[in-house]
Amino acid sequence: MRARSLLFLIILVSVLALFFSGCVEEQASDVHSNEVISEPQAIEADAIVYIDKYEFHPYSTTISPGDTVRWINNDSVAFIIKGNLVGGDSFQSPTLRINDTFSYTFEDVGTYKYELVTHPWTKGGLIVVE
């Protein structure tokens, strides 16, 4: 019985830690122009991708080198976005709570695949840089 209680306590603490992991605000830092904005304001980006109901809208976006994409979390849960170009550049957002945004400037030509790290079962998105 004691082992069962200990196991329950460990699982409970783990679930609570995962739940509250999105409550800590982090700042992005990278050589690219990454930024997190928590307050509504004018959005300056070449393309905007919305996160809603665990999906990216639009799923695929085509941009030019040097363009900036901004993701906006319109969902009710926190997300972390991670993406990469096969054999090339990669990026990751800090935790994005509801209405938070993250932007990234794409310099390398190619197809970037990205996903919600915190919800890996969801369908990822594509950014095509031509």
Side-chain angles (χ1 to χ4, degrees):
M1 185 69 172
R2 180 174 245 172
R4 195 184 248 178
S5 296
L6 181 60
L7 179 61
F8 174 76
L9 181 61
I10 290 171
I11 292 171
L12 179 64
V13 168
S14 298
V15 168
L16 287 173
L18 285 173
F19 178 77
F20 287 108
S21 67
C23 295
V24 177
E25 186 168 334
E26 301 175 25
Q27 294 299 318
S29 61
D30 199 345
V31 293
H32 296 283
S33 65
N34 300 335
E35 63 180 305
V36 174
I37 299 173
S38 297
E39 300 173 12
Q41 56 181 287
I43 296 173
E44 296 178 23
D46 300 294
I48 297 174
V49 177
Y50 297 93
I51 305 168
D52 193 26
K53 297 181 182 168
Y54 298 90
E55 294 181 357
F56 295 107
H57 302 280
Y59 163 75
S60 177
T61 303
T62 302
I63 59 172
S64 299
D67 283 356
T68 298
V69 174
R70 180 161 288 182
W71 287 265
I72 302 173
N73 184 5
N74 285 339
D75 221 325
S76 59
V77 296
F79 295 111
I80 296 174
I81 302 166
K82 183 175 184 177
N84 62 30
L85 173 64
V86 176
D89 209 8
S90 65
F91 63 92
Q92 181 170 323
S93 74
T95 301
L96 303 177
R97 293 172 294 188
I98 189 166
N99 296 323
D100 282 354
T101 69
F102 170 73
S103 60
Y104 184 81
T105 301
F106 292 83
E107 301 296 338
D108 297 331
V109 172
T111 300
Y112 289 76
K113 295 180 180 179
Y114 63 92
E115 64 186 356
L116 298 172
V117 175
T118 47
H119 298 82
W121 61 87
T122 60
K123 186 176 181 181
L126 296 174
I127 301 291
V128 180
V129 183
E130 299 181 327

